[in-house]
């Protein structure tokens, strides 16, 4: 009895609950306003009607649905009402579609389903629904359903394209994508008209048809399209990265923006593209600007013969002067006068010993050879290019008469304050003070070449190379002065001449140099250090050209040299010379890599890592970075038997060398773009904590290569910590790395950091020497020079400059035998990368033209809508101005039009014909 009652109660409860639930539902329904309810019922009726056997009724129903969907407006956050009400009936509509006879109605319904299916999750191995019904639909204008629909379609086309390709690849035939391409041809014009250039580019990259882009680009949208293409290229794998750039090049040529086209051609590094761009120009001013760009990039074209020949003699001479960088010295001195820094500086002005507490040496200062050598380098870096200093050229100012007779204006006494090999660097430092000044500089170095002291002669030869660095002269004075000394007896003199040739013709691909130096490399009797410098010079002169004779010569030398020679630290520079010839050539290094695997084990691994790091430098190739990081984590097996004997135990250290280069390679590969270099910095943090000694000593060098002349706080802090490291190699590398990071920036924080370091290491001559050199680097060219290989808004990287920096980086990995040994003059390789960090504006005649410019931090505006500001936090200056790392300049008024799109280096301005002076 009781059970029955309980059941009854339960039933009542359930019914009540159900009624309450119904009421709730009713309430929910009621929440819809009357219009919405009417709309909902109307649409539901239309869904039913669309399946009506009468074609006319069904068509009317579909038309009604369409017009409702089209006329519905929605806010950003809510779904348009008609879509909301129709979504639940999607399956019904699909079933209806399946039953309909082919005809117009079926197509109309397909259009509606395609729109409603936008929100469907994709199914594996099947065509996305929205795309499928779009292809079955009535082919109406793609824009009718709005942007979001087109965007969704574009994404689905990409997925479907790859799905078909994968399927057909399994069957081994080409995919059929005709129908998709038809759609692509509708989507692209829509995107290009509606300021969605990046989306158009993305779609074309997905379907591998970038060639379809150019016809849709016009004056209005070329800048944003190409900026996006240019930025993409850093993140695409091999062949595609250059395909993208070639499309950008074609677009720039189409809209007649030749300076931009030349930037792309330089980024591609292809001679024929540069020539094609140069030939496309008919405007004299534009040609001049292109010459300035090529000179800065270190890639001059032949104008007197070949495809770019110029008939008009005067114009030819004018362009050649620009292209050969002959006026670099004059422009640099104009900048120095304008900023009022002509006054020569003494090393003491840089050290500022009076600011250091208590640790300054008491009593009379003793002339130590090490300290004088440091002073030589500081003097060479600080007064670089100014043509005067207080150590070497001082006698001219003191007494005209005596100075003139005692040796054509150079003070020899300073040179003899240096010990044997120190004299070579001291004599060579005159070359850096006369940097780029070929006309007046060479006579002043000339009498060093007739000195009785072989070391001074060697220094003089090196000075000749320094004066000619990055400057091409028709008379070829450097070759004339240097070639005889390459085969002299004394190996210092030989090295001076060989290194001088490498500096003077860096990036020139001068065949005479190859004919002269190849025999030096291949001859077994050549001392290994001389052969190594010859290989480095070949690497510099033929940088990134894969030059066959040079490659064969160096490989042959590595094969035929006795084991004993390969144990010498300079064998590593033979490898580097080979690496430089393949700099940035990516896949073209494969054949030589195979050869490297067959060499003696002593050198084989080292050469392989060096070749990979150089070939992929600046490519940002993630896979290569991963491979190198993996290499850094290995622990080479040392043979247990010999390890206990001291001598043999030591000789095992070479197995660690490839790891140092792998750690350095990470920086080289990642240095080209922001993201990669930030990630590399984080990778280095881990390597510093957990790496073996060989890896740790390469970390400061790698950090320096990622931030050349760009003293970011986080990096200088890490390097500052490492410069106090207990491992001497790490501390030495970090001390010099601080100089490279701050090169030419006059950074006050860094200068005081280095002053503290110098008082910390006052008892350690080696480290003190490196700290001094770093101090000189920070004030390089009194703050007017930069060592950074990247220019034109960080978009181009000069491989010549990079080659010089890599050489010094390699030397930093083995300080004991190079910079702290007898080969400290290897520091002069840095001058290959030295460039004034200026913006100079000139008029049509080429005379300086001061104008107001705004200089500020560059802002990345890739793919942003509208016309965003490209610089932030700017100040207005009058040219010439200095640009720091990450700065960008733009003209403050529209009085002049700049011929180049990126304001950097020398920029030609022409008056703006539409400018009207405002009356005061």
């Amino acid at each position: 009895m009781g059970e029955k009652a309980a059941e009854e109660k339960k039933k009542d409860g359930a019914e009540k609950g159900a009624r309450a639930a119904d009421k709730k539902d009713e309430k929910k329904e009621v929440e819809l306003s009357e219009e919405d309810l009417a709309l909902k019922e109307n649409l539901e009726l239309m869904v039913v009607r669309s399946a009506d056997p009468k074609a006319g009724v069904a068509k009317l129903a579909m038309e009604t649905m369409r017009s409702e969907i089209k006329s519905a407006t929605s806010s950003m956050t809510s779904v348009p009402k008609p879509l909301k009400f129709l979504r639940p009936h999607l399956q019904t509509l699909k079933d209806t579609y399946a039953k309909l006879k082919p005809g117009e109605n079926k197509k109309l319904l397909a259009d509606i389903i395609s729109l409603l299916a936008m929100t469907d999750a994709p199914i594996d191995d099947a065509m996305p629904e929205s795309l499928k019904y779009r292809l079955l639909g009535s082919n109406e204008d793609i824009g009718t359903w709005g942007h979001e629909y087109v965007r969704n379609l574009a994404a689905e086309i990409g997925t479907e394209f790859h799905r078909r390709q994968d399927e057909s690849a399994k069957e081994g035939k080409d995919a059929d994508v005709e129908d998709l391409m038809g759609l692509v041809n509708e989507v692209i014009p829509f995107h290009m008209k509606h300021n969605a250039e990046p989306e158009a580019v993305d779609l074309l990259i997905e379907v591998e048809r970038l060639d379809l882009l150019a016809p849709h680009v016009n004056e209005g949208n070329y800048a944003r399209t190409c900026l996006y293409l240019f930025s993409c290229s850093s993140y695409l794998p091999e062949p595609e990265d250059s395909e993208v750039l070639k499309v950008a090049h074609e677009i720039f040529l189409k809209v007649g923006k030749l300076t931009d086209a030349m930037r792309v051609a330089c980024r591609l590094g292809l001679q024929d593209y540069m020539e094609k761009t140069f030939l496309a120009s008919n405007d004299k001013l534009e040609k001049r600007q292109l010459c300035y760009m090529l000179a800065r990039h270190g890639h001059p074209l032949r104008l007197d013969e070949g495809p770019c020949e110029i008939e008009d003699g005067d114009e030819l001479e004018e362009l050649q002067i620009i292209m050969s960088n002959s006026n670099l010295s004059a422009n640099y001195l104009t900048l120095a006068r304008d900023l009022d820094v002509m006054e020569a500086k003494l090393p003491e002005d840089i050290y500022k010993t009076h600011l250091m507490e208590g640790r300054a040496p008491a009593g009379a200062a003793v002339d130590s050879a090490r300290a004088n050598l440091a002073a030589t380098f500081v003097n060479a870096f600080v007064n670089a290019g100014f043509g005067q200093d207080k150590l070497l050229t001082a006698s001219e100012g003191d007494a005209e008469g005596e100075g003139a007779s005692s040796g054509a204006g150079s003070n020899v006494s300073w040179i003899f304050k240096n010990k044997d090999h120190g004299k070579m660097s001291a004599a060579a430092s005159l070359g850096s003070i006369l940097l780029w000044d070929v006309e007046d500089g060479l006579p002043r170095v000339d009498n060093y070449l007739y000195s009785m002291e072989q070391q001074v002669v060697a220094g003089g030869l090196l000075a000749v190379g320094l004066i000619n660095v990055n400057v091409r002269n028709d008379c070829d004075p450097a070759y004339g002065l240097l070639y005889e000394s390459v085969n002299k007896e004394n190996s210092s003199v030989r090295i001076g001449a060989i290194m001088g040739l490498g500096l003077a013709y860096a990036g020139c691909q001068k065949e005479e140099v190859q004919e002269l130096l190849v025999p030096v490399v291949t001859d077994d009797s050549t001392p290994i250090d001389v052969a190594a410098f010859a290989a480095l010079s070949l690497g510099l002169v033929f940088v990134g050209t894969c030059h066959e004779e040079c490659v064969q010569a160096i490989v042959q030398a590595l094969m035929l040299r006795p084991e004993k020679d390969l144990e010498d630290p300079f064998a590593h520079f033979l490898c580097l010379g080979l690496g430089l010839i393949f700099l940035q050539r990516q896949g073209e290094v494969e054949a030589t890599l195979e050869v490297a695997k067959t060499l003696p084990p002593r050198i084989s691994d080292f050469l392989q890592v060096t070749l990979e790091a150089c070939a992929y430098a600046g490519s940002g190739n993630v896979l290569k970075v991963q491979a190198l990081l993996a290499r850094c984590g290995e622990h080479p097996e040392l043979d247990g038997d010999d390890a206990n004997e001291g001598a043999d135990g030591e000789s095992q250290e070479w197995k660690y060398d490839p790891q140092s280069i792998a750690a350095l390679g990470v920086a080289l590969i990642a240095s080209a773009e922001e993201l990669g270099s930030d990630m590399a910095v984080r990778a280095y943090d881990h390597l510093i904590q957990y790496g073996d000694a060989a890896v740790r000593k390469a970390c400061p060098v790698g950090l320096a290569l990622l931030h050349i002349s760009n003293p970011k706080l986080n990096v200088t802090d890490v390097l500052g910590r490492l410069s106090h490291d207990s491992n001497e190699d790490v501390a030495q590398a970090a001390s010099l790395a601080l100089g490279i990071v701050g090169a030419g920036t006059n950074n006050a924080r860094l200068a005081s950091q280095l002053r503290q370091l110098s008082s910390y290491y006052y008892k350690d001559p080696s480290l003190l020497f490196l700290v001094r050199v770093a101090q000189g680097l920070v004030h390089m060219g009194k703050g007017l020079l930069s060592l950074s290989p990247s220019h034109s808004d960080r978009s181009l990287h000069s491989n010549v400059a990079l080659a010089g920096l890599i050489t010094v980086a390699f030397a930093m990995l083995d300080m004991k035998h190079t910079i702290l040994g007898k080969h400290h003059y290897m520091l002069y390789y840095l001058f290959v990368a030295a460039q004034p960090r200026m913006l100079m504006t000139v008029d049509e005649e080429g005379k300086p033209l001061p104008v107001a410019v705004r200089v500020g931090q560059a802002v990345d505006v890739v793919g942003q809508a509208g016309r965003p500001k490209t610089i932030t936090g700017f100040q207005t200056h009058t040219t010439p101005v200095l640009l720091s790392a990450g700065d960008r300049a733009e003209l403050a008024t529209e009085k002049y039009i700049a011929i180049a799109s990126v304001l950097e280096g020398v920029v030609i301005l022409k008056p703006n014909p539409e400018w009207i002076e405002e009356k005061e």
Side-chain angles (χ1 to χ4, degrees):
M1 182 73 197
E3 283 174 17
K4 251 189 187 173
E7 267 181 23
E8 295 272 316
K9 252 189 189 172
K10 253 191 198 167
K11 263 188 191 164
D12 277 3
E15 275 171 18
K16 269 187 194 160
R19 258 185 252 126
D22 281 353
K23 269 192 186 155
K24 254 192 195 165
D25 277 1
E26 270 169 34
K27 263 189 201 160
K28 254 193 194 163
E29 294 294 331
V30 172
E31 277 173 24
L32 286 177
S33 63
E34 287 185 12
E35 301 166 30
D36 289 357
L37 202 58
L39 177 64
K40 182 170 194 259
E41 282 165 0
N42 183 15
L43 285 170
E44 282 169 356
L45 180 65
M46 295 304 152
V47 172
V48 177
R49 285 241 181 120
S50 61
D52 199 291
K54 288 186 185 150
V57 176
K59 184 172 183 185
L60 189 65
M62 288 176 206
E63 291 291 353
T64 316
M65 272 195 270
R66 283 180 63 128
S67 61
E68 282 294 351
I69 294 173
K70 271 192 198 164
S71 59
T73 51
S74 73
S75 67
M76 277 296 284
T77 48
S78 65
V79 182
K81 296 234 163 60
L83 292 184
K84 188 163 138 191
F85 299 143
L86 283 171
R87 184 77 187 81
H89 303 290
L90 180 58
Q91 200 46 53
T92 330
L93 288 170
K94 284 184 185 169
D95 298 343
T96 310
Y97 176 82
K99 290 175 199 154
L100 277 178
K101 292 192 189 100
E104 197 183 338
N105 282 6
K106 191 159 184 170
K107 285 186 176 169
L108 282 177
L109 185 56
D111 286 343
I112 295 170
I113 297 176
S114 169
L115 180 69
L116 292 176
M118 251 167 72
T119 51
D120 277 12
I123 315 155
D124 282 345
D125 288 338
M127 192 164 172
E129 295 280 301
S130 178
L131 177 62
K132 172 174 148 189
Y133 284 102
R134 165 73 202 180
L135 291 170
L136 296 166
S138 59
N139 270 345
E140 58 182 342
D141 178 33
I142 199 154
T144 44
W145 296 120
H147 275 270
E148 207 41 62
Y149 175 66
V150 179
R151 213 170 264 167
N152 181 64
L153 263 187
E156 291 188 352
I157 291 174
T159 357
E160 174 63 9
F161 181 82
H162 286 296
R163 188 183 69 82
R164 290 190 190 179
Q165 272 205 324
D166 295 344
E167 274 186 7
S168 51
K170 283 175 198 160
E171 295 159 17
K173 53 178 199 248
D174 286 341
D176 171 34
V177 288
E178 262 324 279
D179 49 347
L180 294 183
M181 290 329 280
L183 255 186
V184 169
N185 285 328
E186 290 177 52
V187 175
I188 298 302
F190 177 81
H191 274 332
M192 294 301 281
K193 279 195 196 83
H194 295 87
N195 299 336
E197 300 89 354
E199 280 153 32
V201 173
D202 284 341
L203 176 60
L204 290 174
I205 290 178
E206 281 297 319
V207 298
E208 298 165 17
R209 285 301 301 275
L210 264 175
D211 49 318
L212 301 174
L213 184 63
H216 301 290
V217 180
N218 55 28
E219 283 289 330
N221 58 17
Y222 80 89
R224 298 179 44 187
T225 311
C226 290
L227 182 62
Y228 187 73
L229 285 167
F230 203 87
S231 315
C232 274
S233 73
S234 308
Y235 302 103
L236 290 170
E238 258 185 277
E240 285 176 30
D241 51 2
S242 49
E243 291 306 310
V244 175
L245 289 173
K246 285 174 184 165
V247 173
H249 185 261
E250 180 191 350
I251 291 171
F252 278 136
L253 284 181
K254 176 186 165 187
V255 293
K257 300 288 177 207
L258 296 183
T259 54
D260 288 310
M262 187 58 92
R263 262 174 57 210
V264 181
C266 290
R267 173 79 174 257
L268 278 165
L270 297 174
Q271 188 81 9
D272 48 338
Y273 273 77
M274 296 182 198
E275 285 165 359
K276 187 168 142 192
T277 314
F278 190 80
L279 289 172
S281 165
N282 302 320
D283 178 26
K284 275 190 180 177
L285 289 182
E286 199 162 37
K287 275 191 178 159
R288 277 190 219 166
Q289 187 66 63
L290 293 178
C291 287
Y292 275 122
M293 292 177 73
L294 287 164
R296 170 67 184 91
H297 192 57
H299 232 295
L301 301 174
R302 295 296 301 266
L303 299 180
D304 46 359
E305 57 185 38
C308 297
E309 191 176 345
I310 287 180
E311 306 290 328
D312 179 2
D314 297 347
E315 189 184 355
L316 173 68
E317 192 178 336
E318 211 168 81
L319 292 179
Q320 269 182 329
I321 286 176
I322 296 175
M323 185 91 90
S324 65
N325 251 339
S326 304
N327 46 17
L328 186 57
S329 175
N331 287 341
Y332 176 61
L333 292 172
T334 309
L335 171 75
R337 280 188 207 101
D338 196 81
L339 297 172
D340 198 22
V341 290
M342 286 303 289
E343 178 67 28
K345 283 200 154 121
L346 278 168
E348 179 46 44
D349 303 339
I350 304 302
Y351 302 157
K352 301 200 166 105
T353 17
H354 60 276
L355 296 177
M356 284 159 21
E357 287 110 43
R359 285 254 176 102
V366 187
D367 258 1
S368 102
R370 226 1 162 4
N372 284 350
L373 184 60
T376 297
F377 280 110
V378 172
N379 186 46
F381 288 137
V382 174
N383 296 308
F386 284 90
Q388 60 187 48
D389 70 325
K390 290 182 176 171
L391 296 183
L392 286 161
T393 57
S395 61
E396 292 177 37
D398 299 347
E400 285 296 305
E402 288 172 46
S405 60
S406 68
S410 70
N411 180 2
V412 189
S413 66
W414 175 257
I415 292 177
F416 291 100
K417 282 187 181 172
N418 288 281
K419 266 216 196 103
D420 319 326
H421 47 83
K423 292 175 189 159
M424 179 165 170
S425 283
S429 67
L430 184 59
S432 81
I433 287 158
L434 303 168
L435 197 63
W436 306 320
D437 186 2
V438 181
E439 301 291 312
D440 300 339
L442 290 174
R444 290 167 68 176
V445 180
D446 197 43
N447 56 336
Y448 286 175
L449 304 179
Y450 304 110
S451 165
M452 300 309 289
E453 282 265 353
Q454 295 296 325
Q455 298 286 355
V456 177
V457 176
L461 295 165
L462 188 47
V464 171
L466 280 170
I467 290 174
N468 283 284
V469 74
N470 286 332
V471 178
R472 325 269 187 274
N473 194 307
D474 297 345
C475 326
D476 252 357
Y479 186 77
L481 288 167
L482 297 175
Y483 78 98
E484 287 177 356
S485 307
V486 169
N487 296 314
K488 289 269 170 64
E489 313 276 288
N490 182 309
S491 71
S492 290
V493 174
R494 294 182 72 178
I495 289 178
I498 289 169
M499 186 170 162
L501 282 170
L503 291 170
Y505 295 107
C508 285
Q509 301 155 34
K510 190 174 171 64
E511 284 299 330
E512 288 94 317
V513 177
Q514 174 250 321
E515 287 157 17
L516 190 62
L517 295 185
V518 162
V520 179
V521 177
T522 48
D523 181 7
D524 279 356
S525 60
T526 315
I528 182 87
D529 55 348
V530 178
F533 277 102
L536 280 177
S537 288
L538 287 174
L540 274 172
V541 176
F542 295 96
V543 62
T545 56
C546 309
H547 192 282
E548 252 179 69
E549 283 93 0
C550 302
V551 173
Q552 282 165 356
I554 300 175
V555 171
Q556 183 186 336
L558 286 167
M559 280 180 172
L560 304 178
R561 285 257 165 193
E563 275 289 310
K564 187 96 185 68
D565 281 355
L566 296 183
E567 290 172 18
D568 190 289
F570 276 91
H572 290 169
F573 289 98
L574 274 171
C575 299
L576 176 59
L578 190 55
L580 293 179
I581 297 175
F582 288 105
L583 193 65
Q584 294 177 331
R585 293 317 287 262
Q586 304 198 5
E588 296 175 49
V589 75
E590 291 304 323
T592 314
L593 262 177
E594 288 309 311
V595 178
K597 290 175 185 165
T598 64
L599 293 174
R602 181 84 206 216
I603 207 80
S604 169
D605 268 2
F606 188 90
L607 180 58
Q608 287 173 46
V609 183
T610 305
L611 286 173
E612 288 229 317
C614 290
Y616 289 91
S619 66
N621 187 318
V622 190
L623 300 172
K624 296 288 172 204
V625 173
Q626 285 167 346
L628 290 176
L629 281 172
R631 189 139 206 164
C632 294
E634 292 169 6
H635 300 289
E637 292 292 313
L638 296 183
D639 306 339
D641 325 336
D642 309 335
N644 50 11
E645 297 168 29
D648 290 330
E650 273 172 40
S651 67
Q652 293 288 309
E653 276 187 16
W654 57 269
K655 293 198 170 171
Y656 292 114
D657 289 340
Q659 287 188 294
S660 304
I661 306 303
L664 193 62
V666 173
L668 286 177
I669 294 175
S671 61
E673 38 91 35
E674 290 288 302
L675 276 177
S677 57
D678 289 349
M679 281 155 67
V681 170
R682 286 178 47 200
Y684 277 129
D685 279 345
H686 296 301
L687 292 176
I688 290 166
Q689 282 170 325
Y690 307 117
D692 290 344
V695 174
R696 288 193 60 213
K697 75 172 181 192
C699 291
V701 189
L703 284 169
L705 284 182
L706 289 170
H707 303 90
I708 298 161
S709 297
N710 180 10
K712 281 190 176 164
L713 269 183
N714 56 347
V715 178
T716 52
D717 281 353
V718 173
L719 289 174
R721 276 209 313 280
L722 292 174
S723 62
H724 294 80
D725 199 271
S726 54
N727 178 334
E728 197 181 19
D729 288 341
V730 177
Q732 290 174 350
S735 304
L736 190 49
L738 278 168
I740 290 177
V741 168
T745 57
N746 275 355
N747 186 303
R749 189 170 180 279
L750 226 128
S752 73
Q753 199 175 340
L754 286 166
R755 273 201 298 278
Q756 285 159 359
L757 257 187
S758 70
S759 72
Y760 179 77
Y761 283 130
Y762 77 114
K763 279 190 174 162
D764 182 330
S766 302
L767 272 155
L768 185 58
F769 169 74
L770 293 169
V771 174
R772 293 295 191 214
V773 171
Q775 284 178 299
L777 280 170
V778 170
H779 297 282
M780 187 165 181
K782 299 177 201 161
L784 307 187
L785 291 175
S786 159
L787 288 181
S788 174
S790 50
H791 57 102
S792 9
D793 243 351
R794 309 223 31 208
S795 57
L796 295 179
H797 308 274
S798 154
N799 56 7
V800 183
L802 194 58
L805 290 158
I806 295 175
T807 310
V808 175
F810 263 65
M812 285 167 74
L813 293 178
D814 190 3
M815 294 267 202
K816 198 162 74 216
H817 296 105
T818 55
I819 295 170
L820 295 174
K822 294 189 174 175
H823 299 285
H824 32 74
Y825 41 81
M826 289 183 81
L827 284 168
Y828 289 123
Y829 277 121
L830 288 172
F831 281 109
V832 179
Q835 289 282 353
R837 53 188 190 100
M838 62 174 179
L839 159 63
M840 189 167 196
T841 45
V842 296
D843 60 13
E844 294 165 343
E845 299 299 310
K847 297 190 177 66
L849 172 70
V851 294
V853 289
R854 294 192 282 259
V855 180
Q857 272 303 119
V859 182
D860 191 14
V861 293
V862 180
Q864 285 185 14
R867 293 210 176 137
K869 294 266 179 283
T870 52
I871 59 176
T872 172
F874 59 81
Q875 292 177 315
T876 307
H877 297 289
T878 309
T879 56
V881 293
L882 292 181
L883 299 175
S884 312
D887 277 359
R888 189 180 282 166
E890 48 186 48
L891 295 176
T893 62
E894 292 180 6
K895 184 173 179 183
Y896 292 98
I897 300 171
I899 291 187
S901 55
V902 175
L903 298 190
E904 224 171 88
V906 182
V907 177
I908 302 173
L909 302 179
K910 57 181 184 190
N912 183 353
E914 290 160 21
W915 170 258
I916 301 160
E917 278 293 346
E918 289 172 11
K919 294 193 171 65
E920 303 222 337

